[in-house]
Amino acid sequence: MTPLGLMLALTFATGVVDAVGYLSLDKVFAGNMTGNVVILGMAATGGTGLPVLGPVVALVFFLVGAAVAGRMLRAAAPDWSRRCTVLLGGVGLVLAATALGLAVVGVAAPAARASMASSLALAMGVQAATARHLGVKDVTTVVVTSTLTGLAADSRLGAARGQAVVRRGAAVTLIAIGAVTGAALCQVHEGLAVAAAALVVLAVTGLGHVSARSADHPAAAVPTSPMTPISP
């Protein structure tokens, strides 16, 4: 699977996770930090009834996750490496653990909701920094604002450049489909939605690791035996 395909799959997973955060964890975005900053700004005026604890912990843990990934990848080559596998594998495991926590603890208590939001945001911070390192243009896996800007600016109504229309459109479409999927699964259980996102991330991790190893160790050409001379 190509790096673009892998990042698009992670974008889908982000849509699922953000749906869980917004619908079940006090309107918290685990991947889209712009949303949390805006919510906190509005909440600062008072009397809005908007949450504060969840967006704050999500913002802090997202930054922690991104910083950890950035530290691990600072000396890594700008393509898929073992460190990318470790980081994204960790994202999948954190999501799986969060799904288990949602199933066992639930989201009734504010402290539980804040705890679940923090673990989701931590995972998304690591994912976002890893995707940034891999550098697939227009696919950050966590936000699509810049992608939409490029899509509109380069369209026929804009600069008429027609650049990367399919890639940008796929990123926007997949995060929306992920949100639809997450919302639908939340109607069954929040843990099921996060578990689905965990499976996607773990599958991406495995496929990326295998693809990188295949690129590093291409199949050796089958040696051809010299023709045996025919005796007269």
Side-chain angles (χ1 to χ4, degrees):
M1 195 170 185
T2 65
L4 173 59
L6 296 175
M7 295 304 101
L8 288 174
L10 292 181
T11 303
F12 168 84
T14 298
V16 175
V17 170
D18 268 344
V20 174
Y22 191 84
L23 295 174
S24 302
L25 303 176
D26 287 337
K27 295 180 172 61
V28 172
F29 290 100
N32 180 11
M33 291 301 109
T34 302
N36 289 329
V37 171
V38 171
I39 288 172
L40 289 173
M42 293 187 293
T45 65
T48 61
L50 290 171
V52 173
L53 178 61
V56 166
V57 297
L59 186 59
V60 170
F61 276 85
F62 182 93
L63 293 174
V64 169
V68 169
R71 171 72 65 166
M72 285 188 63
L73 293 169
R74 64 177 179 171
D79 52 10
W80 194 291
S81 64
R82 187 182 299 274
R83 295 184 184 187
C84 293
T85 299
V86 170
L87 287 169
L88 289 178
V91 169
L93 292 177
V94 169
L95 292 178
T98 306
L100 180 60
L102 287 167
V104 174
V105 178
V107 295
R113 293 194 294 272
S115 176
M116 300 304 167
S118 65
S119 62
L120 292 179
L122 178 71
M124 291 298 98
V126 173
Q127 176 183 297
T130 306
R132 180 175 182 269
H133 171 79
L134 292 171
V136 176
K137 187 175 176 58
D138 297 316
V139 187
T140 67
T141 78
V142 291
V143 291
V144 293
T145 303
S146 59
T147 305
L148 281 168
T149 302
L151 190 62
D154 291 336
S155 69
R156 290 185 179 180
L157 296 177
R161 297 191 184 99
Q163 296 177 354
V165 173
V166 174
R167 177 173 59 211
R168 290 166 175 169
V172 175
T173 301
L174 282 169
I175 202 168
I177 293 174
V180 171
T181 303
L185 292 176
C186 277
Q187 295 181 14
V188 181
H189 196 281
E190 301 84 0
L192 182 60
V194 178
L199 288 175
V200 172
V201 175
L202 290 172
V204 167
T205 304
L207 289 170
H209 183 70
V210 170
S211 298
R213 286 181 61 87
S214 299
D216 291 338
H217 305 286
V222 179
T224 55
S225 301
M227 294 183 63
T228 305
I230 301 175
S231 300

